[in-house]
Amino acid sequence: MTLLSKNILEKKIVFIDMDGVIVDLGKEIELKTTGLKDKKLLKSPDLIKGIFKNPPVYQGAKNAVHELNQSGKYELFIATSAPWENHESATHKRVWLEKHFKGVFEKKMIITHRKDLLIGDYLIDDRLSNGAEYFRGELLSFGWNYEKKKWNTFPDWKSVLEKLLN
């Protein structure tokens, strides 16, 4: 057994979604759609060229992720979807991670539209789509659910830390 596989077995695995969880994509969408007239892009703003390139970090995410990482209790991974039609989105997400979370998620990024196939203990996600609803571990429904227009069970990073570090 390698050191890496031994470390993973000793720690609980946490998958963290990006958009709406560590990335404040809502603010970036507001910025990029102001004055936009293209109805297709207004309906699907994740198709806007460059939308994933430089959005702000979600409030509290940076400190919370570092706290979880430093706790020694968890192996952290990114589990994100990238719009199939927005070819540059996966690259932009990967570069964004390095810029804002250097070293934390290096070679620990999974791009998938099937989060139900992930094997781990926790998934922190703001939506139930892309298989998150059927994740086999515990789903920590995070932040504002823009589809249902309501706050999820874990409205902010403070509530996530209370769950995972206490």
Side-chain angles (χ1 to χ4, degrees), residues 138-155:
E138 185 175 346
L139 173 64
L140 305 184
S141 293
F142 179 85
W144 178 255
N145 185 321
Y146 70 89
E147 294 170 326
K148 294 184 177 184
K149 307 288 187 241
K150 68 175 194 138
W151 289 100
N152 284 315
T153 309
F154 294 88

Side-chain angles (χ1 to χ4, degrees), residues 4-123:
L4 178 61
S5 60
K6 183 176 185 236
N7 264 349
I8 288 175
L9 292 175
E10 292 173 357
K11 297 178 181 181
K12 292 194 181 244
I13 294 175
V14 178
F15 294 104
I16 303 172
D17 179 43
M18 287 184 72
D19 308 322
V21 179
I22 62 171
V23 175
D24 195 339
L25 194 60
K27 281 188 183 171
E28 190 70 2
I29 288 171
E30 266 182 55
L31 180 69
K32 298 277 189 195
T33 57
T34 301
L36 189 65
K37 298 193 185 337
D38 185 322
K39 290 181 182 179
K40 180 183 177 189
L41 293 179
L42 285 170
K43 187 176 180 179
S44 300
D46 58 346
L47 300 180
I48 296 172
K49 190 169 180 64
I51 192 82
F52 298 101
K53 197 170 191 174
N54 201 27
V57 177
Y58 197 96
Q59 183 178 2
K62 194 172 254 187
N63 289 337
V65 166
H66 286 297
E67 213 171 312
L68 287 171
N69 193 43
Q70 291 171 353
S71 75
K73 296 169 79 171
Y74 301 104
E75 193 70 34
L76 305 178
F77 293 87
I78 289 296
T80 189
S81 298
W84 197 252
E85 301 84 7
N86 187 342
H87 304 259
E88 63 188 9
S89 62
T91 299
H92 287 170
K93 286 180 174 223
R94 193 265 190 228
V95 171
W96 186 94
L97 276 173
E98 187 171 349
K99 177 181 178 182
H100 296 284
F101 292 90
K102 188 164 181 65
V104 177
F105 297 112
E106 188 173 331
K107 298 183 181 182
K108 294 165 66 178
M109 177 184 187
I110 300 161
I111 298 175
T112 182
H113 291 90
R114 292 291 311 272
K115 293 179 182 177
D116 55 310
L117 298 178
L118 298 171
I119 299 170
D121 299 287
Y122 299 100
L123 169 62

